[in-house]
Amino acid sequence: MTATPTFPAATLAHLARGARGSALLHTRILPARSERTAPWPQWVAPTVYAACSGAGIARLWSHQAQVAELARASTHAVCATGTASGKSLGYLVPVLTALSEGTDAPSGRGATALYLSPTKALAADQEARLARLAVPGIRSATYDGDTPSEERRWIREHAHYVLTNPDLVHHSLLPGHERWSPFLRALRYVVVDECHVYRGVFGAHVSAVLRRLLRVAARYGAHPTVVLASATVAEPQTHAATLIGQPVVAVTDDGSPRAAATFGLWEPPLDEQGTRRSAVAETADLLTDLVARGVQTVAFARSRVGVEVVAQAAQRSLEALDPGLAGSVAAYRGGYLPEERRALETRLRDRDLVGLAATTALELGIDIAGLDAVLLAGWPGTLASFWQQSGRAGRTGAESLAVLVAADDPLDSYLVHHPERIFDAPVEASVLDPANPHVLAPHLAAAAAELPLTEADTAWFGEGVADLADALVRGGLLRRRATGWFWARPERATDHVQLRTAGTPVRIVESATGGVLGTVDAARAPAVVHTGAVYVHQGRSYVVTALDLDDASALVVAGDPGWSTQARSSSDFTIVAADHEGSLGPGQLAFGAVEVTQQVTSFLRRLPGGEVIGEHPLDLPVRTLHTQGVWWTLTPDQLSRAGVAEPDIPGALHAAEHASIGLLPLIATCDRWDIGGVSTACHPDTGVPTVLVYDGYPGGAGFTRRGFERIVPWLSATLETIRDCDCSTGCPSCVQSPKCGNGNEPLDKGGAEKVLRHLLRRPAQTTRLG
C-alpha cells in the first residue's frame, strides 16, 4: 500500500485524532515551486551528455548550470540549495567532462577528481549513481576503510574518479602521497559534499586536511578547483572559503521544482503528574500509525539509544496489530558494521522496509527515493538539519509530510510555541575556527611530515605557522633546519590526530563471541559504557562488565536487567584568561580560555517508571578540557535585589545554566551535547556567584564565542522559555537537563527566572581586551 497524492492533510488529521488533538500545535504548508531550467553548456562532452540523456535528464536546473559553469571556469564554488535539488549534477557535469576529455592523454588519465563525503554510505551511493550513468572510459571507485588492500593499488594507478572521505585522505592519501603522485599530478577537481556538516572542531580538522591536500597537490603541479555542496545554510560563501582558505563563489538560487510540503509541530501533553511524555515514545506511536497506513516513513532520533527505542517500541506495537508488519520496521544509526548498514539501505530502497528509525547517518544525502513522511523525535539541533531531515520526504516530487515531535527540552519547547523561528527565520551560519591551535598544531606536524614546512605555508594555514611550528620543535615533534621545519619522530604524524573524536574510539565487544557491536567516542565512554552500564544495540540490551580505557574497549554481555543506568559526575573549572569583558545589566560578562575538569563518579539504576533503585560508585579518571567559554557573574547583593535569597542561589544559577545551554543552539550551529556548563555560588577566580557555559572541545569550537556576541537574544529566549513553561517547579522542557551529572539537583525554576530578568534589565556592553 502506498500513500495517495492527497495524503499529507489526511494523514496528519489521522495522527491528531481524538485525545491527541491537543498535541498538534501548528500546521504549516509550504507551497509548491515551479522549476527553472537552463540549456546544456556547449562544452559538455558528448559522452557525458549522452549518459545524462539516457538517464532521463533532459535539461539542467538553473542552479546546476550555474555551478557547472563556475567549475568549468576553474572557480571554486559552493552550491547551497535545498534537499533533493540535484546539487550533485551541478558538479558531475564539469567533473565527468574533464575526466572524459582526459582519456585522450597518453596515460589515459589526463584528468582525475577526488570526491569527499562525511560518511562511507554517501560515497557508496555516489558510486552507484556513477555506475548507472556509465560514462564510457571513466573509471570510478570507492576508496575507504572497507576497501580490500589488493584493490587499493589498482585504484591509485587507474581510477579517474576516487570517492572517499576526509579521514582516509588524512590517514592514508596524504602520508603516502608519493604512491598517489600520478593521480595528484592530474587532479583537476576536488568535490566536498555535505560541507555544512564540517563545523565546530570537526570542521576545523577537515579544513586543515583540505588545506594540506591542496598544498600537496600544488607540489605536483596541480591546482584543482574545489566544488562544495551544502544544505541551505547562512553565509555559505564564508563557510566554504573558511574551509579551504581560498575565495569561493556561492550559488544559492534554487531552480529545482518542489511539491507542496506539510509540516506539523507536535508537543506531547503533560500527564496528571505534570510529566511530559518523551518524544521518543510519542514518535514510536506515530511511526506505528504511519507504517500501519502504508506510509513509508523515516523517524529521526537524536541519539543511538533513541533510535533503538523507537524501532523496538514500533515493532512491538505493530506485532500486536499485525504480526506481518513487525518486520517492516528497523533501526539505522552510526556504529553499525558496513554490511548491516548497506543491507538496511537496500531494504529501504526496495520498500521492504516501511518504517525506519535513524540517526543523522541517514540524513546526509543518501539518495533513497519514495519516502512519504518524516518524523523528528526532538529538535535536530539546527535549522539546517531540520530542513535536511524533513526534506527526505517527497524526494520523488510527491507531496510530503514532516512532523517535529518536541522533546522535553528548553529549545524544543520554545520552537514549537514559536513556529516563526522555524519557518520564517534565516538558517544559522556554520561556525568553525581553523586557527584553533589545538587543532592546527598537530596538522602542521602532519604537513611537515608530508613536505617540509616553511614560512611560505602561511598561504595555506594562516599567520600562526611559525609560532606553532616552533612550539612543536620545543615539544620534540619537529626539527628546525635552514630550509624549514621537518618531522622528527619515527612514527606517522597523522596517527596523533583523530578528525572526529578526541582519542581512540572505544570498541564495544560482546564477551561471548568477541564480536564488535559498535563504538563510542572516548570522551563519552566513561558516561556511556562504564562498568555496570546498560547498553542498547539493535533493540537488544547488554550490560557492560568491564571498561578498559587503555585498551579502548568495553566488554558487554547480552541480557536485560530490567533497569536503565545514568552516570553521575562532578565538574569544576578554572578561568585561564578573559579575552573579552563587558557588563550584562548589573552583572559582569566575559569570554575567554577556561580549564574544565570532570569525573564520572557513580551511576544510578532506574526502573522503567523512573524510580531510582540504587547508586553505585565508580573509580574513573579525571578528564581535563582546555577550551573556551562565556561566563557571567552577579554579587550576592545583586541576587538579593533580584529576589533570590542566599540559600536559593545554587538552585537558581543551576537552573539558569541548564536553560541557557538548552537555548544556545538557537544562536549558534551546535546542539546541547556540543557544550557544557558549570555554576557555583562562589567561584574562587571571581569571588562571586558565577555561571559558565563552555565549548565541549579542546581549544574551543566557536559556539560560546557566538553566544557572547549575541548574549541578549540568547538569554532573552532562555528567560522566555522558562517563563512560558506550564510546569510549576521545573521540567525537562525548561530547566532540567538530560546530561546533568548532579541528577538535576538543586534546581530553582522561579529563581532562574528572577536571575535572568535581573541580568536583562539593561543592554549588554562588551569590550575586547588587548
Side-chain angles (χ1 to χ4, degrees):
M1 178 180 177
T2 58
T4 63
T6 57
F7 90 94
T11 302
L12 193 57
H14 172 77
L15 294 178
R17 67 194 183 280
R20 281 181 175 172
S22 62
L24 182 61
L25 300 183
H26 182 79
T27 301
R28 178 72 63 98
I29 299 175
L30 299 186
R33 179 182 63 211
S34 300
E35 68 177 1
R36 287 179 287 114
T37 62
W40 281 88
Q42 294 296 314
W43 47 260
V44 176
T47 53
V48 175
Y49 177 77
C52 292
S53 298
I57 305 171
R59 55 192 177 275
L60 297 179
W61 291 321
S62 56
H63 65 278
Q64 294 171 331
Q66 188 178 354
V67 171
E69 293 287 5
L70 287 167
R72 180 68 174 182
S74 301
T75 301
H76 303 309
V78 57
C79 182
T81 53
T83 307
S85 61
K87 291 185 283 286
S88 60
L89 189 61
Y91 59 74
L92 280 176
V93 168
V95 168
L96 294 178
T97 292
L99 300 182
S100 182
E101 292 168 343
T103 59
D104 294 332
S107 66
R109 201 167 63 154
T112 60
L114 189 67
Y115 168 92
L116 303 178
S117 72
T119 67
K120 295 177 183 178
L122 183 54
D125 189 79
Q126 287 285 308
E127 185 184 22
R129 178 169 190 179
L130 290 168
R132 291 192 298 270
L133 285 175
V135 178
I138 295 179
R139 298 181 292 269
S140 63
T142 297
Y143 193 107
D144 60 26
D146 299 332
T147 305
S149 57
E150 61 270 17
E151 293 182 17
R152 295 190 174 201
R153 180 175 178 179
W154 183 93
I155 293 172
R156 290 194 300 269
E157 295 179 353
H158 300 287
H160 298 95
Y161 196 13
V162 174
L163 303 102
T164 186
N165 51 66
D167 309 79
L168 193 131
V169 173
H170 167 67
H171 286 293
S172 180
L173 189 155
L174 289 173
H177 63 82
E178 295 90 351
R179 293 177 297 167
W180 286 85
S181 57
F183 181 89
L184 290 170
R185 283 192 182 94
L187 187 61
R188 178 75 179 275
Y189 289 103
V190 175
V191 175
V192 183
D193 206 355
E194 304 290 346
C195 72
H196 62 280
V197 172
Y198 303 131
R199 58 182 175 82
V201 168
F202 180 40
H205 277 297
V206 172
S207 174
V209 170
L210 290 171
R211 293 164 190 238
R212 284 165 49 205
L213 172 65
L214 296 175
R215 173 178 180 260
V216 168
R219 160 66 177 77
Y220 291 101
H223 301 280
T225 300
V226 183
V227 186
L228 306 99
S230 171
T232 303
V233 295
E235 303 173 12
Q237 183 173 4
T238 300
H239 177 61
T242 302
L243 272 175
I244 68 171
Q246 298 184 38
V248 177
V249 174
V251 175
T252 59
D253 190 7
D254 194 336
S256 65
R258 182 187 63 198
T262 299
F263 292 82
L265 302 184
W266 190 283
E267 185 176 49
L270 296 171
D271 61 20
E272 294 179 355
Q273 287 73 42
T275 301
R276 197 176 304 280
R277 192 168 188 238
S278 77
V280 167
E282 192 83 354
T283 299
D285 283 356
L286 297 177
L287 180 61
T288 299
D289 281 3
L290 290 168
V291 170
R293 289 171 64 88
V295 178
Q296 191 178 46
T297 304
V298 169
F300 286 108
R302 297 193 292 196
S303 70
R304 295 179 175 187
V305 173
V307 165
E308 301 287 1
V309 171
V310 168
Q312 192 175 20
Q315 287 164 350
R316 285 197 303 265
S317 299
L318 289 166
E319 178 76 26
L321 288 173
D322 180 352
L325 291 176
S328 62
V329 173
Y332 182 111
R333 60 168 175 76
Y336 282 3
L337 300 177
E339 55 269 24
E340 291 178 309
R341 295 196 310 265
R342 288 166 188 169
L344 287 173
E345 290 162 15
T346 299
R347 290 185 63 202
L348 189 62
R349 288 192 186 96
D350 295 342
R351 295 187 76 94
D352 180 43
L353 280 180
V354 183
L356 191 70
T359 60
T360 54
L362 187 68
E363 172 193 335
L364 298 178
I366 300 170
D367 190 12
I368 298 172
L371 300 183
D372 304 316
V374 167
L375 300 172
L376 294 87
W379 179 248
T382 66
L383 275 168
S385 289
F386 172 81
W387 292 115
Q388 186 85 343
Q389 291 180 14
S390 60
R392 298 313 303 272
R395 292 177 74 96
T396 54
E399 293 187 7
S400 62
L401 173 66
V403 179
L404 169 65
V405 181
D408 261 354
D409 181 277
L411 181 57
D412 289 50
S413 179
Y414 179 83
L415 289 170
V416 294
H417 287 276
H418 295 81
E420 72 280 359
R421 296 305 298 261
I422 298 175
F423 300 109
D424 305 321
V427 179
E428 312 94 340
S430 290
V431 176
L432 73 147
D433 180 11
N436 180 339
H438 291 266
V439 174
L440 183 56
H443 281 283
L444 290 180
E450 292 150 10
L451 299 169
L453 197 66
T454 71
E455 293 192 7
D457 286 317
T458 55
W460 301 107
F461 303 112
E463 296 299 324
V465 168
D467 290 341
L468 288 175
D470 287 339
L472 292 168
V473 170
R474 292 191 294 272
L477 296 175
L478 297 185
R479 183 178 293 114
R480 182 71 189 264
R481 293 287 183 262
T483 54
W485 292 271
F486 293 74
W487 176 244
R489 301 285 293 270
E491 71 271 20
R492 289 171 21 126
T494 52
D495 292 341
H496 292 267
V497 188
Q498 297 290 330
L499 302 190
R500 300 174 190 257
T501 59
T504 304
V506 173
R507 295 166 292 115
I508 301 165
V509 181
E510 187 174 11
S511 299
T513 64
V516 177
L517 296 179
T519 61
V520 64
D521 294 348
R524 296 181 59 230
V528 176
V529 289
H530 56 76
T531 301
V534 176
Y535 177 79
V536 180
H537 178 76
Q538 290 209 8
R540 295 189 63 190
S541 294
Y542 297 82
V543 177
V544 180
T545 59
L547 170 62
D548 187 338
L549 292 174
D550 293 331
D551 185 53
S553 64
L555 298 179
V556 300
V557 296
D560 185 355
W563 60 75
S564 62
T565 53
Q566 179 184 6
R568 303 198 70 177
S569 62
S570 61
S571 300
D572 200 359
F573 70 96
T574 301
I575 296 172
V576 178
D579 299 324
H580 306 256
E581 286 185 327
S583 61
L584 181 60
Q588 296 299 306
L589 175 71
F591 169 83
V594 296
E595 180 182 282
V596 180
T597 58
Q598 187 174 48
Q599 182 180 27
V600 175
T601 56
S602 64
F603 71 95
L604 304 177
R605 290 186 296 136
R606 293 183 183 272
L607 293 175
E611 302 90 339
V612 175
I613 58 173
E615 181 173 1
H616 307 272
L618 292 168
D619 184 16
L620 290 167
V622 175
R623 177 175 176 256
T624 301
L625 178 66
H626 299 275
T627 186
Q628 294 179 322
V630 56
W631 61 94
W632 49 263
T633 63
L634 284 167
T635 67
D637 285 346
Q638 291 165 343
L639 287 167
S640 178
R641 286 195 289 272
V644 180
E646 187 172 352
D648 300 327
I649 290 175
L653 298 186
H654 194 196
E657 169 215 324
H658 279 186
S660 61
I661 289 172
L663 270 295
L664 182 56
L666 189 68
I667 303 301
T669 49
C670 64
D671 62 42
R672 70 186 306 159
W673 301 95
D674 291 325
I675 50 183
V678 186
S679 56
T680 175
C682 184
H683 192 273
D685 291 339
T686 63
V688 294
T690 304
V691 172
L692 165 75
V693 178
Y694 61 87
D695 294 335
Y697 298 93
F703 304 139
T704 54
R705 177 186 291 271
R706 181 75 168 167
F708 175 85
E709 294 169 347
R710 302 197 62 199
I711 188 71
V712 171
W714 173 25
L715 293 188
S716 296
T718 304
L719 171 61
E720 191 172 351
T721 299
I722 296 173
R723 184 189 64 210
D724 294 347
C725 187
D726 294 334
C727 72
S728 56
T729 59
C731 71
S733 293
C734 56
V735 299
Q736 292 181 4
S737 169
K739 62 175 187 171
C740 180
N742 296 315
N744 284 301
E745 295 177 357
L747 289 177
D748 184 342
K749 175 187 175 182
E753 183 178 347
K754 294 174 183 176
V755 167
L756 293 169
R757 193 185 304 277
H758 197 60
L759 281 170
L760 294 167
R761 286 172 50 198
R762 297 194 298 272
Q765 296 182 349
T766 60
T767 59
R768 178 169 183 167
L769 295 183

